[in-house]
Amino acid sequence: MNSPNTKTAIPYNRSRQAREAETMLDHITDDFDDNPAAMDYFYDLFRRAYCQGESLEREGVRVGTTCIHAPEELIYAMGATPVRLCNGSYHYDQIGADFMPAKSCSLVKATLGMLSSENVIPKVGKLDLIVNPTTCDQKKKASAMMVGMGHKVYNLELPPAKESEQARLYWQRSVREFVQQLRQITGKKLTRKNLMAAMARTSRAQAAFRTLHNFRRKAPSLVLGKDVFLVTNAYFFDDIERWTEAVEKLNAELAQRDQDGFCAAQKKAPRILFTGSPPIFPNLKLPLLIEESGGVVVADETCSANRMLYDMTAVDEWLVNDMVDSLANKYLKPCTCPIFTNSDDRLRRLVELAKSFAVDGVVYQAFSGCQVYEMEQKSVAETLNKAGIAMLYIETDYSPDDMGQLTTRIEAFLESLKTRKRNRT
Amino acid sequence: MSRIAHRFVPALLALLATGLALAQGEGGEPLAGVRGGPVSAGDYAGRRPSEGARPEASWQKRAAEGTKPEEAIRDGGGTGMRSGGVLWLADTPPMRGEASRGRRGGGMGGMSMGGEHGGPPMKRLWLRAGADPQKAPFAHQEADASVETLLVHPLGKPEGEPLPSPAEGHTGLAFAMPAQGFYRVYVTTRKLEGDTLNVSVAKTEVGNFGHGGDEEEQKRAITAPRVLENAAIEIVRERQDKEGPFSQISSGMDQSFIVLQKGLPAANARVRLVSHAGWVKEMTSDEQGRVSFQIIRDYFPPWDEFQKRFKANYLVIAEVAADESGNHNDQPYTRVRYQATLAGNYSPSPNDYRSYAWGLGVGLLAVLFSGVAVYLYRRRRLKPFQEVRFDEKA
Amino acid sequence: MKRLKDAVDRVDLNRFRFWLQLAMFALLVYGGYLAVDLGSRLPMFSCGFNEEGRAGVCYLLPLQHQLSRPWPQLFGIAGVSVLTGFGVFFLWFIVLNKGWCGYVCPLGTIQDWITALRRRLGARYSRYTQGQFRQLSRIKYLLLALMVLIPLGIGGGWFSRDMGTPFCLICPGRMILPMFTGDFSQFTIDFSSKTALVMTALGMGITGLFLAGAFVKKRFFCFFCPMSALHYLISKPALLKLKKDGDKCTRCGDCYTVCDMEIKEIADDIKTRDIMMDDCILCLKCVAACPEPGALKANFASVTFFESTEAGFIKRSQKGIGLEQPEH
């Protein structure tokens, strides 16, 4: 293995950063019995990428994205490969603290920290372009810093509201211009054929995700949330076709489990809906805590999982112009990101998920410094309260310091959910 | 396909004619009876049927100005049974003055709408004498003639029932039409002149159809038999293909008639058709008693006064002579001259006033204009949000 | 039962619709040759001017005829026949609601064919802006009002009889549908009077506009159709209904994307359950394009016979991309 970090004395796999990932992965695999066999692919993938620092470099043009709003179909169609740069490593969070104010989002800090370091984990290779959708303030301002680090950054302009027709058209225009930018970098033309092929790949991946998503409706649960977060996390950097196949395999196993009447968690385990700031490996501490404390995360509303893969594109006429506009629609209209002026869609989505997944309680994670999630907390709590669903609001960051305190809070919350359930029946 | 081609021919002809007319217009030659460019196309298109009339159809202007129509007919060998000439049933009174005023609306002439009074519609008919459909005067009752009037009701007995004579102070016959269908009136006049018995049957057919009636009933009424078995002689107009309750014959169409005697075809009868303006065409019936005329266009008003619903009258006269002997009013006769008349009306051909060339022209212009406008708009506009284009064919 | 329902929900709607529309077109435009007669109160443009082939007549023709009767008649006995005529029309209408437009109307089908032609030629479609849309969709009510008022005016003696059936005179169906049985006689301009001249020229102009418009704009004419306006006014008791469950809607706008009539409410309105808007043609493409189970439904007499499902959506969309869906 020809490691690029020859400067450092210790090899990567024995670094503090690798240990952070390894600890998390060990918890995920070893703290639970009966992990699905099909999950081995993902455990192995993360072990190789995060613990051993194995290279995942792809051929051709590599495009980093900092948010779910960058249309991956277009990137694939132009012969490039997208890599989602959002990072969950505490190690990078600490490095990134040099760029951002102390009270800012761990995710943005970690991403910046990763981009500024020479040894990027997961090792996806040199990026030809970073697409930075203008979402929240912190990501917007991160753009200039990424340029400062020597990256080529394209700011994909996202409207601040999504309801109006102007916003839709404005966004469609942004996306069209984004294609121009991609064309400059890849030298390829967007055609009906390559776009359809790209959309087919994404559509198959989404269909696989939706099947997995639907298996989580089953009570008692067939699969644990920590595994699903790992699966969707892998989508950030894994080869899309290999990922899809692995998920399809997992689905087949879950179907078998369903037939066999298998339970992945206790029958009375409180069913939790996870929302708010995205858990990204290795920062899966909150979902892990929930499931270690006897709950089960059955659904989520986060941009590292559901929001990223759930919404699918409908096209009326399979002509390039129509396909591009339809794609643009998909990346804007159904998005429940709190950066938009209006949070109605997010509230409705949460209530709908809570109902259709027979959820007992909601855990709302907000990274300290992520103002938009912090600000929406109150309205979400009120709405869920009205719908009779308990919610636990947790403000945290990537540091493991608050684990003890969080464990107490989560255990108490789960206990109260159990009591409520018992009283109801 | 041939059918489509057939339909397109008028359009192409009209297109040519427009070119011709425009060329003539530029040459400074005024077009007779036509005002302004746009009309010429319709006019030309319209003249086609009469131009296309068969060569043997030698129409003669018998009832032209100057000669009195009655005389003209009599000179031509007509059997003037009365001082007035041939007897026929009209649904319009004679026209006074020169202006040829048409009537508007289907079947409104001589018909007072019953709706206003709450009863069924009434129809009035007048017996007129003379072969000029426009000017023939009312026939006068002659003492020595025996007259018999029959009305065949669409739902009544097929042999008909006598129609009462008009009330005092009224000329003409009037009857109510409570049912849908064709009402037929036969006025049979028998008169002895020397050893010849003149039998004249004036017939007319009045259709009474309402909108929104029972369609089945209408269909039955249209296809019901229209022959009076014991009529001494009668002319039956043959139905056009797909004739509906409101169908009209129009100039340019072929119309055939069958001459029947006691319900049997009368061959070799002399049949004349007199057009609204007095043009006459004479033919002889074939073995089935059938004759066929092309109705000519003889309605040429100044264009401003043109009315497409103008109803012109035609008159068909059939004559058969027979060596039959018998007694009429105790007087013997050795020869019988049968004469049947049938009046009807026709309207201007749509080709007189409808132009394919202009229709297609306007349509194509609209297609081209809007097509080009859309094309240019899409090409040139740099409307925000749409300026980036992708090649569909790449 | 469940299997049947799944099969229906996974139907390839566009293909189904194409064949159904073709069959309906053949029935209505050529059915007359087979002596099919559905009467003259049909709630879509089975054009009465297609005298030979028609299997029934668009109600607007007899309606305008009836309304142009002289007033003493119209407000007397003839009024009854106007009412009974409307009753028959209404009975036809409530069966399919605006589904008459999306599945049966021959003029609508022709527009879909022109759209298919454009798609094959690879020309993209045009859209109105929201502002234009709002203005344009009012025109149909104006046409409906004129279509009633002008015949009444004729009956009252204010307008020339040449204005009789004013909407038919400007309706492109009058020219285009008879054309399919080889009858080109409507492609003419009537010079017999000024009124006739203007109306027939307007008719031909609109026909030209129709052909060009339908090429770039999906269902171009349906925005202006007074029949559509009339439908909407009486659509409350109709049996076929388009229902939306706003709770399940993610407002992703997929339905709006595929909507031929650019109805934004289908995507954005999460309160109205009866989501059929006045421009809707009930083609049900929105139901087929909705990935959220049960968010959009087509009901017949309150029985759901077609609803949006995830499986159906994925099957249809992957077929669109050309991806074979593995059998489950």
Side-chain angles (χ1 to χ4, degrees), chain B residues 204-328:
Chain B
T204 197
E205 199 172 54
V206 181
N208 175 45
F209 293 101
H211 284 281
D214 181 10
E215 284 172 24
E216 281 302 308
E217 190 189 318
Q218 278 190 357
K219 243 177 235 167
R220 257 201 315 279
I222 290 167
T223 49
R226 296 178 299 167
V227 176
L228 185 65
E229 289 284 340
N230 50 12
I233 184 166
E234 77 169 311
I235 304 171
V236 178
R237 186 180 70 82
E238 274 205 309
R239 281 188 206 95
Q240 298 281 344
D241 276 353
K242 295 168 199 136
E243 197 172 288
F246 306 107
S247 292
Q248 277 276 320
I249 55 172
S250 57
S251 48
M253 282 166 87
D254 282 319
Q255 175 64 58
S256 55
F257 300 92
I258 298 176
V259 185
L260 298 169
Q261 282 185 297
K262 302 270 180 203
L264 297 171
N268 297 319
R270 268 181 67 215
V271 186
R272 283 170 296 152
L273 182 112
V274 188
S275 81
H276 189 72
W279 292 87
V280 179
K281 162 100 167 100
E282 185 172 318
M283 289 175 89
T284 309
S285 66
D286 63 10
E287 280 172 22
Q288 278 89 48
R290 181 181 285 114
V291 277
S292 180
F293 296 95
Q294 186 178 41
I295 311 289
I296 58 161
R297 179 187 180 200
D298 60 351
Y299 174 58
F300 296 101
W303 197 256
D304 285 354
E305 290 160 28
F306 182 89
Q307 287 168 353
K308 64 176 167 187
R309 293 185 186 83
F310 180 83
K311 274 191 171 180
N313 287 320
Y314 66 82
L315 175 60
V316 193
I317 305 159
E319 283 170 341
V320 177
D323 290 329
E324 291 168 18
S325 47
N327 281 322
H328 177 68

Side-chain angles (χ1 to χ4, degrees), chain B residues 3 308 353-355 378 392, chain C residues 124 126 188-191:
Chain B
R3 187 187 178 86
K308 64 176 167 187
Y353 53 85
R354 301 193 83 103
S355 158
R378 282 178 164 209
E392 239 21 293
Chain C
R124 78 209 129 78
S126 298
T188 52
I189 303 265
D190 186 338
F191 285 96

